[in-house]
Amino acid sequence: MELRLLKGTNDYLPKEQIIRSRIKEILTETFELYSYRPLETPILEFYDILASKYAGGAEILKETYNLTDQGERKLALRYDLTVPLSRVIGMNPHLKMPFKRYEIGKVFRDGPVKLGRVREFTQCDVDIIGIKSMQAEAELIALANDVFNRLNIDVKFEINNRKILSGILLQSGFSDEDLPSAILSLDKLKKIGRVGVEAELEEKGLKGEPLEKSFKLLDKTGSTSEILKFLSDSITQELALDGLKEIEELFKLLKIMSIPDDKVKFIPSLARGLEIYTATVFEAFAIKSPITSSLAGGGRYDEIIRKFLQTDKLFPAVGISFGLEPIYETLLSLDEKIDEKNRVLVISIKSDEIALQITSKLRSENIITEYDFRQKGVSKSLDYANTEKFTWIIIIGPKEVKERKYTLKNMETGEENKISVKEIINTINNQP
Amino acid sequence: MELRLLKGTNDYLPKEQIIRSRIKEILTETFELYSYRPLETPILEFYDILASKYAGGAEILKETYNLTDQGERKLALRYDLTVPLSRVIGMNPHLKMPFKRYEIGKVFRDGPVKLGRVREFTQCDVDIIGIKSMQAEAELIALANDVFNRLNIDVKFEINNRKILSGILLQSGFSDEDLPSAILSLDKLKKIGRVGVEAELEEKGLKGEPLEKSFKLLDKTGSTSEILKFLSDSITQELALDGLKEIEELFKLLKIMSIPDDKVKFIPSLARGLEIYTATVFEAFAIKSPITSSLAGGGRYDEIIRKFLQTDKLFPAVGISFGLEPIYETLLSLDEKIDEKNRVLVISIKSDEIALQITSKLRSENIITEYDFRQKGVSKSLDYANTEKFTWIIIIGPKEVKERKYTLKNMETGEENKISVKEIINTINNQP
């Protein structure tokens, strides 16, 4: 048997996992600050539910891991957290609306592995179901802004409304049938430029006047208010006008909620995927990092829950999803320190009994303490304390035990003192 | 398509998940206080690794969910966190020993569902690899004691050493081959009583003098020191004597680490499963709860990592596993309140702009705040605040906006004041 991991899955050793845990902690704290409540759904679901017509689309279905259990039931591993959320809403008709929940959990895709695409990964989703007003979008963008402030990552939000993009294409002469394909290509404007998009569209047979007209409207540069002004002067199509009204409302709300102007930008070509979004879409990008993929993204999807549940009842919904992996990579690239907590290493030299007692005492004072089991001599223990970045070490030997004064060393300043346990606790607790 | 869940899997709605999250938070905090570091391993593994000879035994293998992916690889869902830990140790030979890690994660068993046995559940494991001394066991028991103190659950630890149990059986006349089967039955002494155990053993053909002799030694009641004294006077078998020495050392260490005497009890018949434990075993039970299953349990397993890795190198190991479900059930049965954080509901009466601003302001002060999207009138909002147990509500209407004084109501005391935003923040922050 050769020890190995499936490509696209990872072991996260402590060094990396400490940072990942801290990111999840900040996400959770902020989600709760905004009064979102936790939900946990299973990883194993019945295949027919995950595969239902309106769930994820054919492409995702192809990548769904499926299995048969001992009872010959056809099961699958969930590929996102949105289908389980829709199922929960369907199965719990007495849930009060709006339903504000977050879920952080593993999802699985049996697809090709490449940079930024793995087979088992963690999604961090926040959704609000039951609110038609743009206040829901504003709240989620404010929440994301707060998350990135806490993480010390400078971000910019790109915001659009799918009604505007669709409306512009229709007004320019594209047909309803052209839309999905045209939008898919236009969404890449930032990545592959106008020439790239044109080439892609031509291959699909989409060219000529409608394309020229669309670009004229979508290519406008300037501030958000300049682009809004330009579009409201140029747009006649009803859907686009409706979207424009919504986006104006959203930017007004963001101002009310004190999101700085220069953090939010209206990008009329932004589409953010195809299948589910019905109106607002947004993505957050790090400003000073080589990581170009978005760190979070979301939007309004007013139709999928209703379609999934095959009901006439409306379930307006807005959600945002944070990417644990790109956030982790961004933090590394920014050399951003995640506050490591102060940690103490207790080193015993043939004085285990007292050393164990002092270890217990420190822990009872809520000081993170490691009892050094190595016992291979002080210099080896000091090496370990250095590599593992302990803040403090305490050395306890027969001489110290006799005097009831123990050596406390600050590993950052090098300062060393022989003091009582009480003084040790005070010194550590008064450390800034 | 009928919406449904696979039996043995659960949706945890916010009401329950808030408590589950709080339990995980307390576990994580305590694990870190004792200087254990987080590890995350994948849920999907190659089948041959999970199924390898020394991993989980035939019974678990039968219950392992397996699947074939698009690349025709035979995969499986992990059924515990110990095999992945062993694999990580094998694949990372440069990991420094002792390796102290914790992992909280989902595991899967395709087995029968009954009370307390589900198909997808969360394991919370803490392990220390590389330490032969009983100090490792003592640390994990102290850690567990700390966890249950923080959870306000009064527990008792039952502790044994498998060498004692095996040694007593051998001394009484059982053969090496009888051991596994005899231990399996004797472990049920507490559950089914001596008569039940005898019946079970007789069915297996184990009866007569060896059984009588074993019971004589295992049945002794009294305090831990009385039983220790009795056994050290009666035992001659070498393995049992070795185990006795270890358990004496462990109880001495627990005293040094200030674990109260009445919390730890030596139970010579305790076996805690069969396959992996080589010496110390322990389980924690709630004292004042109808939940009779153990809340945590563990022990020393010095052989499995070496066997799994097929190496001669020794990997002494001690671990403890906490059960999220029985802990949750115990908390409910004790009517133990999990501190809910203070939460504020902001209610706007046609004053959305100011209400949204105040909501943002409160959140920037780290006060958990929900903006009431319902807007169906104050009395509906009050109902909601009552059901959902908000600590405070703030009412913001045109009159309040004019006066710049807003109604703050304490939902617990009923006290109501019209005060400024600054005063609101002070009042909430000074709430005990």
Side-chain angles (χ1 to χ4, degrees), chain B residues 55 152 293 329-330:
Chain B
N152 266 328
S293 58
E329 292 299 335
T330 302

Side-chain angles (χ1 to χ4, degrees), chain A residues 11-12 18 20 33-35 37 40 43 62 70 87 106 110 120 135 352 363 368-370, chain B residues 11-12 18 20 32-35 37 40 43 62 70 87 110 120 135 352 363 369-370:
Chain A
D11 286 327
Y12 298 102
I18 286 168
R20 285 166 51 94
L33 181 66
Y34 281 70
S35 198
R37 328 289 304 262
E40 187 179 305
I43 284 168
K62 229 176 51 195
Q70 292 200 55
R87 183 188 46 67
K106 287 277 184 89
D110 188 6
E120 171 172 339
Q135 289 178 351
D352 290 11
R363 286 172 182 161
I368 299 180
T369 308
E370 177 154 328
Chain B
D11 286 327
Y12 298 103
I18 286 168
R20 285 168 49 94
E32 295 191 346
L33 181 65
Y34 280 71
S35 197
R37 329 287 305 262
E40 188 179 305
I43 284 169
K62 229 176 51 196
Q70 291 199 54
R87 183 187 47 65
D110 188 5
E120 172 174 340
Q135 289 179 351
D352 289 11
R363 286 172 181 160
T369 308
E370 177 153 328

Side-chain angles (χ1 to χ4, degrees), chain B residues 106-388:
Chain B
K106 287 278 185 87
V107 299
F108 301 81
R109 307 251 174 109
D110 188 5
V113 174
K114 52 185 178 187
L115 191 69
R117 258 186 82 98
V118 289
R119 294 203 172 106
E120 172 174 340
F121 59 101
T122 301
Q123 281 202 332
C124 316
D125 279 15
V126 189
D127 291 85
I128 173 166
I129 317 295
I131 299 299
K132 282 190 225 171
S133 134
M134 290 291 118
Q135 289 179 351
E137 278 94 327
E139 177 163 292
L140 288 182
I141 293 170
L143 177 153
N145 185 49
D146 215 345
V147 162
F148 292 113
N149 282 338
R150 282 160 192 248
L151 287 165
N152 266 328
I153 300 177
D154 210 5
V155 297
K156 184 162 242 162
F157 290 91
E158 301 190 351
I159 304 176
N160 193 21
N161 189 304
R162 292 284 299 272
K163 295 178 188 171
I164 298 176
L165 182 53
S166 301
I168 284 177
L169 294 175
L170 292 171
Q171 177 176 330
S172 304
F174 283 113
S175 72
D176 268 326
E177 292 71 47
D178 296 335
L179 284 191
S181 183
I183 288 174
L184 193 61
S185 296
L186 280 163
D187 195 27
K188 298 181 188 162
L189 203 52
K190 196 172 143 189
K191 217 187 252 167
I192 59 175
R194 178 162 169 174
V195 178
V197 172
E198 279 180 330
E200 213 183 277
L201 284 172
E202 263 182 55
E203 241 174 75
K204 294 176 181 169
L206 300 171
K207 50 185 176 176
E209 203 188 352
L211 194 56
E212 279 305 312
K213 280 189 177 168
S214 300
F215 271 124
K216 221 177 227 165
L217 294 170
L218 294 171
D219 249 5
K220 174 75 182 169
T221 54
S223 70
T224 292
S225 54
E226 283 163 358
I227 302 175
L228 277 173
K229 174 79 174 57
F230 167 75
L231 286 186
S232 67
D233 289 344
S234 333
I235 280 176
T236 51
Q237 205 276 349
E238 207 178 327
L239 189 66
L241 285 172
D242 187 27
L244 215 54
K245 225 174 74 192
E246 287 184 2
I247 206 113
E248 277 166 345
E249 166 76 5
L250 177 56
F251 276 93
K252 201 183 107 197
L253 286 166
L254 293 173
K255 203 183 273 293
I256 289 172
M257 297 183 84
S258 309
I259 311 294
D261 260 3
D262 62 346
K263 282 219 165 173
V264 284
K265 178 107 178 78
F266 173 38
I267 307 277
S269 60
L270 182 76
R272 191 176 160 66
L274 259 191
E275 311 262 358
I276 70 169
Y277 296 111
T278 54
T280 315
V281 287
F282 48 85
E283 287 190 284
F285 295 93
I287 292 174
K288 282 178 241 137
S289 161
I291 309 300
T292 54
S293 58
S294 72
L295 306 187
R300 181 170 283 278
Y301 52 98
D302 283 351
E303 292 298 329
I304 52 165
I305 298 179
R306 163 161 71 173
K307 285 183 181 164
F308 177 78
L309 300 178
Q310 294 167 287
T311 158
D312 287 334
K313 201 177 160 189
L314 245 183
F315 287 98
V318 189
I320 184 167
S321 188
F322 292 83
L324 190 54
E325 278 72 26
I327 291 174
Y328 173 82
E329 292 299 335
T330 302
L331 283 174
L332 286 197
S333 78
L334 294 173
D335 210 16
E336 196 50 68
K337 259 200 203 149
I338 292 280
D339 328 338
E340 272 249 40
K341 290 162 194 156
N342 285 337
R343 289 150 56 232
V344 179
L345 183 68
V346 173
I347 302 166
S348 151
I349 309 165
K350 293 178 187 140
S351 309
D352 289 11
E353 186 165 334
I354 304 290
L356 284 169
Q357 279 170 351
I358 291 175
T359 301
S360 297
K361 178 72 186 153
L362 293 176
R363 286 172 181 160
S364 75
E365 298 283 336
N366 243 339
I367 296 166
I368 299 179
T369 308
E370 177 153 328
Y371 176 79
D372 192 359
F373 287 110
R374 276 160 210 81
Q375 309 209 337
K376 287 182 179 165
V378 173
S379 82
K380 287 246 165 138
S381 290
L382 278 170
D383 280 355
Y384 173 72
N386 266 321
T387 342
E388 294 293 319

Side-chain angles (χ1 to χ4, degrees), chain A residues 132-174:
Chain A
K132 282 189 223 170
S133 134
M134 291 289 119
Q135 289 178 351
E137 278 94 327
E139 177 163 293
L140 288 182
I141 292 171
L143 177 153
N145 184 50
D146 217 344
V147 162
F148 292 113
N149 283 338
R150 282 160 192 248
L151 287 165
N152 266 328
I153 300 177
D154 209 5
V155 298
K156 184 162 242 163
F157 290 91
E158 301 190 352
I159 304 175
N160 193 20
N161 190 304
R162 293 283 299 272
K163 296 178 187 169
I164 297 176
L165 182 53
S166 301
I168 284 177
L169 295 174
L170 293 171
Q171 176 176 330
S172 304
F174 282 112

Side-chain angles (χ1 to χ4, degrees), chain B residues 380-399:
Chain B
K380 287 246 165 138
S381 290
L382 278 170
D383 280 355
Y384 173 72
N386 266 321
T387 342
E388 294 293 319
K389 293 189 180 131
F390 280 85
T391 334
W392 305 91
I393 58 165
I394 300 171
I395 301 174
I396 300 169
K399 209 177 139 209

